[in-house]
Amino acid sequence: MKTGRHANSMLGAALLGAALLCAPMVAAQDVAVTAVAAADRASSSDRERMNARVFDRVWTEVRRDYYDPALKGVDWDAARETWRPQALAAEDDGQLYAAINGMLDLLDDAHAAAASPASVRRADAQHRDRAVIGVTVSREDDGGYRVQSVREGSAAADAGVQIGWRLATDAGGWTPDHDVVEGTPVHVVFQDGEARRAFDLMPRVMPPIPVFVADRSRPGVLILSARAFDPGMGRWMGEELRDLPPDVDVVLDLRANAGGRLWEAEAVLGCFLPQGVPWAWQTGREAPRRLLTTRAPCGGLTAPVPNDLAVLVGPGSRSAAELTPAALQESGRAVIVGAPTSGAVLISRDTDLPDGGRLTLSRADFVTVSGVRLEKAGVRPDVVTPTSDAALEAALAALADPPEAAAAGAREAP
């Protein structure tokens, strides 16, 4: 055993060693904290720069390309001064797109809207199997979201989520600006009147909801339902109508159709109207007024079908799902049944934004061939039903007695 000075020297060396071993650890902690702070500052700076790029792209495109060069009387420079600071200060996509859409709302145009990257990813994946919680929400005029539909067999349906509830966006729960990932619970808070209802919903991978559905379950009736004027709609309708006996009535259900491609609307009209029939006037920002006419018959049809036709519409019918029934109504080709449409019929185009979001902007004005402007007015059905569910039966009754339906005007269905 060693004692005396040597032992003390060994203890001193041990203490010094401990000091030498500990000092780098303390320094590493300080460096780590400093690095995190620097990373936060860099991240915040990157966020602000991207926010500025996205906001400025939207603001510039509206000023340059919006169909109304007067921007409906909105002082667009003042709008920039008001909303740009909020956009740049946004800490997440929800705050950024709330600011952008707050500015776009000044145009009072249902087609002028920006979708966050998560919303775009969700929309682009809608035609393949994907994780969902099972609710579809629509944006309200005040910027909030209301449940539009609840999918059967989904986590939301099992939890008892109801159509008409609003998302409580101030509660820190899910909004459309957040992704839904398989295996990761989604905390959602709804406002049900005065009550708040919170759920932790586990996403389920579910197949896509069919966009086009043909129903032949009723004798003497073909019901064609479309949720959007997506690419291929005209071709699909042409195939379904080909070789259809002339005594079979056709019902086109557009009640839940949010619109889509203008050329698909033209193709659908070609299923029922001869080629070259005028159906609308389109006016762009700097383009001359242009008359739209029906083109060649849709799909594999060699001529328009002669079958009696009813079109179902409602508040969920937007854009192309309003232009089409309006043209069929004015031409006397179909009886329109249901509730007035939404009145969102300006012709729009999408633009990709720098962060993966998307801007939808009205690029042209539209009136029917007789000069009726449907924007903010919508299509008034020939037969108005008390509920959306009653529309199909009312349509079948109208098709059973076409002369009565044609003379009914905007009568109320019992």
Side-chain angles (χ1 to χ4, degrees), residues 307-348:
N307 306 67
D308 289 339
L309 173 66
V311 183
L312 308 184
V313 298
S317 307
R318 295 166 49 94
S319 194
E322 300 180 85
L323 310 183
T324 303
L328 293 169
Q329 185 181 53
E330 286 199 349
S331 66
R333 181 61 184 86
V335 57
I336 312 302
V337 182
T341 62
S342 67
V345 297
L346 296 173
I347 298 172
S348 62

Side-chain angles (χ1 to χ4, degrees), residues 240-254:
E240 296 296 338
L241 294 169
R242 190 172 58 180
D243 302 325
L244 188 70
D247 60 344
V248 175
D249 293 337
V250 178
V251 175
L252 176 57
D253 189 351
L254 303 178

